[in-house]
């Protein structure tokens, strides 16, 4: 069982930055892919970024590529999302997700943290 707790959301002006954090409980954190997703009002949840177990290779949605950076610290069971050059359309609830071991099947979700970008 994995429990995820996000933090770091808030209100920021367009062009600003925020750093989201996600702390994972349980063992085998390093064997799991970790991801960030977001859901804006009236829209479906969408993929933002992910980071692989092992190599730590990353993948981003085109909408955030070049502005957001996902990283992980396996010693601390933490995953981060550094968000720069924020836009109004980045406003959403951001969710941390953990996969089954050695897969990209997302099985565990945090409660979400609100990010609001004012224009």
């Amino acid at each position: 069982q994995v429990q995820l707790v996000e933090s770091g959301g808030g209100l920021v002006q367009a062009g600003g930055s925020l750093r989201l954090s996600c702390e994972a409980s349980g063992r085998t954190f390093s064997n799991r892919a970790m991801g960030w997703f977001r859901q804006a009002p009236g829209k479906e949840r969408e993929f933002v970024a992910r980071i692989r177990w092992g190599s730590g290779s990353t993948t981003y949605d085109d909408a955030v590529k070049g502005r957001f950076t996902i990283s992980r610290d396996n010693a601390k069971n933490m995953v981060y999302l550094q968000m720069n050059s924020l836009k109004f359309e980045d406003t959403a609830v951001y969710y941390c997700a953990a996969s089954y071991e050695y897969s990209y099947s997302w099985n565990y979700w945090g409660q979400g943290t609100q990010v609001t970008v004012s224009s």
Side-chain angles (χ1 to χ4, degrees), residues 48-100:
V48 175
R50 71 183 187 192
I51 184 165
R52 193 180 185 274
W53 65 93
S55 68
S57 63
T58 57
T59 305
Y60 298 91
D61 183 78
D62 286 344
V64 307
K65 198 173 295 183
R67 299 188 297 122
F68 291 10
T69 303
I70 187 171
S71 61
R72 66 190 299 162
D73 184 336
N74 289 335
K76 297 181 178 179
N77 280 18
M78 296 291 294
V79 64
Y80 306 98
L81 185 68
Q82 178 66 44
M83 304 186 295
N84 298 329
S85 302
L86 282 161
K87 304 176 181 180
F88 176 76
E89 51 265 40
D90 294 319
T91 296
V93 177
Y94 283 71
Y95 296 90
C96 176
S99 72
Y100 285 116

Side-chain angles (χ1 to χ4, degrees), residues 37-46 88-95 114-115:
F37 293 73
R38 66 187 181 185
Q39 187 168 18
K43 295 187 177 181
E44 293 186 351
R45 190 174 299 188
E46 64 181 13
F88 176 76
E89 51 265 40
D90 294 319
T91 296
V93 177
Y94 283 71
Y95 296 90
Q114 176 71 46
V115 172

Side-chain angles (χ1 to χ4, degrees), residues 1-49:
Q1 189 74 5
V2 176
Q3 292 185 328
L4 304 172
V5 179
E6 303 101 331
S7 61
L11 174 64
V12 64
Q13 288 188 330
S17 298
L18 279 176
R19 187 195 196 203
L20 305 183
S21 299
C22 173
E23 182 174 9
S25 66
R27 299 178 297 173
T28 68
F29 173 82
S30 61
N31 297 338
R32 303 179 189 275
M34 298 297 296
W36 287 96
F37 293 73
R38 66 187 181 185
Q39 187 168 18
K43 295 187 177 181
E44 293 186 351
R45 190 174 299 188
E46 64 181 13
F47 167 78
V48 175

